[in-house]
Amino acid sequence: MNVRETLKANAAGHLEIGGCDTLELAKSFGTPLYVFDEDYIRAMMRIYRNTIAKEYGGNGNVLYASKAFSCLAMYAIAKQEGIGCDAVSGGELFTALKAGFNPGDIYVHGNNKTVEELRQSVSAGVGGIVIDSYREADILNEIAREYGVRQSVLIRVNPGVEAHTHAFVQTARTDSKFGFSIADGTALDYTEHVLSLENIELKGYHCHIGSQIFEKKSFALAAEKMLDFIKSVKDKTGFEAEILNLGGGFGIYYTDDDPKLTMDDYAEYLTTLISAVKAKTSSLNLKQPYLLIEPGRSIVGEAGITLYTVGAIKDIVGIRKYVAVDGGMFESPRYALYQSKYTAVKASDVNAPCVQKVSIAGKCCESGDLIGVDIPLPQVESGDILAVLSTGAYHYSMASNYNRNLIPQAILVKNGRAEVIIRKQTYDDLIRNDVIPDSLK
Ligand code: LLP
């Protein structure tokens, strides 16, 4: 299956996703609108799961990285597809549990989990907690004692692999707030401490080398470094890790600067990683660990598009043309944060030739509120519907109410059917938690 099979021009030349005409979607649901292609999400979950089955005898699982896009429907799909998930906050854990997710299939992350979040995780019976800081093991040991359980844990390790990606989304450099470093010996020292605690059971290790990565070698190198570390722990302590979680990070297509991967390419990424694990375990004479991966962006990123209505157009001749839309950094924060690049399409005429490069501006009271700059577009006018592509990951999940704008609704499309999965906020939602104290009355 090609990654963009369900995103195409229909007979009228309109952009279609999941069998739905985007102009019709904009008319029925309003804009801005997050649209998610269900088949795409399911296909990506399956490709990873099937690759683990085929290349690694099913000795592992996929954990959907909730942070990319967390809502009840997403967990319902992941559950149906037989994969697990991660959670990096009490809120993500709460949402997954509310969606009926099996707690045993949830792994909890976070470099500074609160005591409440640790309690919430232990009492829910999550499959694993990934210990990420010095204080955590001891706190968790006490909580597990209170609950009368032996909590399974992994330790987050920093393998010191530099991934070729945007600096802000790297998480495993030596200078990182995450995990215990192999290089400075803290990962080994902390392993010995965790092994000494009686109410937590060390199952293995986790690492995550960054996001939006296309370098296959980075993943293989991280896997090899982790296995070298597992071997040195075994030699020093006798403990041999049963679980190896290699995190997420596979890149997706945003613009022609990025490779456009097919489903087979994603399978190949995972196969390369699995081959590295198999070769290294055999050369080091280790058991093949149960393998976990945590893709987020690659599962849901290209599944999503955002529909906007064009409003004001400001052409500063010789300098720049601003095409303003009814969204902005409150629902699409990645340009403001990372200067991310996007592809945009005129929904009424997908095949119209691009004749200009424009900056797509949002409606927030801030100059930096752009959805993207220098985006090639055909001629557009106020009232046209624009689709920005590859917005499924880290858009809704990083949205805010800046300027008290309402977070848009999200719909799921499949075979020409469109269903709301997140309702649009209302003005009442905005003031739901506001309080005027007596002193102000
Ligand atoms: N596991 C861990 C521990 C992570 O920290 C992350 C992402 C993932 C899995 C999923 O990575 P993915 O497959 O989605 O690349 N807000 C940024 C991305 C931050 C990613 C942080 N961690 C962005 O919009 O690009």
Side-chain angles (χ1 to χ4, degrees), residues 65 67-68 86 109 156 169 171 206 208 210-212 247-250 294-298 334 338 394 398:
K67 60 191 74 83
D86 77 2
H109 283 294
R156 178 158 184 168
V169 293
T171 52
H206 167 272
H208 170 77
S211 202
Q212 184 61 4
F250 300 126
E294 291 172 340
R297 190 192 310 268
S298 58
R334 297 187 67 257
Y338 320 116
Y394 305 111
M398 297 203 298

Side-chain angles (χ1 to χ4, degrees), residues 277-288:
V277 170
K278 288 205 282 202
K280 195 73 180 174
T281 44
S282 124
S283 77
L284 295 175
N285 208 9
L286 290 171
K287 279 182 292 198
Q288 285 184 0

Side-chain angles (χ1 to χ4, degrees), residues 103-405:
D105 294 330
I106 305 175
Y107 279 72
V108 175
H109 283 294
N111 70 304
N112 188 28
K113 303 172 197 75
T114 65
V115 174
E116 293 71 30
E117 286 171 332
L118 289 171
R119 257 181 222 289
Q120 185 188 355
S121 306
V122 173
S123 70
V126 299
I129 296 177
V130 183
I131 295 182
D132 201 319
S133 70
Y134 281 103
R135 62 200 281 274
E136 205 175 319
D138 296 277
I139 297 173
L140 199 52
N141 190 46
E142 283 315 305
I143 295 173
R145 186 198 313 278
E146 266 173 49
Y147 282 89
V149 295
R150 196 142 188 260
Q151 176 64 54
S152 295
V153 300
L154 305 181
I155 296 177
R156 178 158 184 168
V157 168
N158 179 345
V161 173
E162 288 274 346
H164 295 282
T165 182
H166 194 294
F168 287 138
V169 293
Q170 281 185 13
T171 52
R173 290 164 301 174
T174 311
D175 177 6
S176 165
K177 70 171 182 171
F178 294 107
F180 298 88
S181 168
I182 295 179
D184 67 8
T186 51
L188 176 62
D189 291 350
Y190 206 62
T191 294
E192 289 178 323
H193 179 58
V194 169
L195 287 171
S196 75
L197 299 171
E198 53 184 8
N199 305 307
I200 57 181
E201 185 180 357
L202 183 61
K203 291 283 191 186
Y205 297 97
H206 167 272
C207 72
H208 170 77
I209 59 166
S211 202
Q212 184 61 4
I213 300 168
F214 290 103
E215 285 275 319
K216 286 195 190 113
K217 273 189 295 193
S218 309
F219 295 111
L221 184 64
E224 286 164 6
K225 286 195 155 199
M226 291 298 285
L227 287 159
D228 279 331
F229 171 67
I230 286 173
K231 170 78 167 122
S232 68
V233 171
K234 187 182 173 194
D235 291 345
K236 283 251 168 62
T237 69
F239 168 75
E240 183 168 354
E242 288 166 42
I243 298 180
L244 177 58
N245 182 332
L246 291 171
F250 300 126
I252 66 167
Y253 174 87
Y254 286 99
T255 69
D256 286 343
D257 292 347
D258 305 310
K260 209 174 220 176
L261 304 183
T262 63
M263 295 281 165
D264 288 345
D265 293 327
Y266 284 106
E268 206 182 300
Y269 268 77
L270 185 49
T271 302
T272 306
L273 195 153
I274 289 172
S275 304
V277 170
K278 288 205 282 202
K280 195 73 180 174
T281 44
S282 124
S283 77
L284 295 175
N285 208 9
L286 290 171
K287 279 182 292 198
Q288 285 184 0
Y290 187 81
L291 196 64
L292 293 170
I293 55 158
E294 291 172 340
R297 190 192 310 268
S298 58
I299 286 180
V300 76
E302 287 192 53
I305 65 172
T306 308
L307 299 179
Y308 299 102
T309 304
V310 174
I313 296 178
K314 178 175 177 182
D315 194 358
I316 311 171
V317 179
I319 296 183
R320 183 181 296 282
K321 186 168 184 180
Y322 288 97
V323 172
V325 295
D326 48 358
M329 63 195 289
F330 62 97
E331 52 72 37
S332 175
R334 297 187 67 257
Y335 179 81
L337 283 169
Y338 320 116
Q339 294 77 53
S340 303
K341 294 186 172 154
Y342 292 98
T343 300
V345 172
K346 182 176 173 179
S348 62
D349 193 357
V350 177
N351 297 317
C354 292
V355 293
Q356 56 182 343
K357 283 190 173 175
V358 308
S359 288
I360 301 184
K363 63 190 287 295
C364 294
C365 222
E366 180 157 334
S367 302
D369 170 33
L370 301 171
I371 283 166
V373 298
D374 294 335
I375 299 185
L377 271 186
Q379 226 28 273
V380 289
E381 286 165 25
S382 303
D384 281 342
I385 302 297
L386 279 190
V388 175
L389 310 185
S390 301
T391 60
Y394 305 111
H395 276 236
Y396 173 80
S397 64
M398 297 203 298
S400 75
N401 285 123
Y402 184 44
N403 288 166
R404 292 236 143 172
N405 282 297

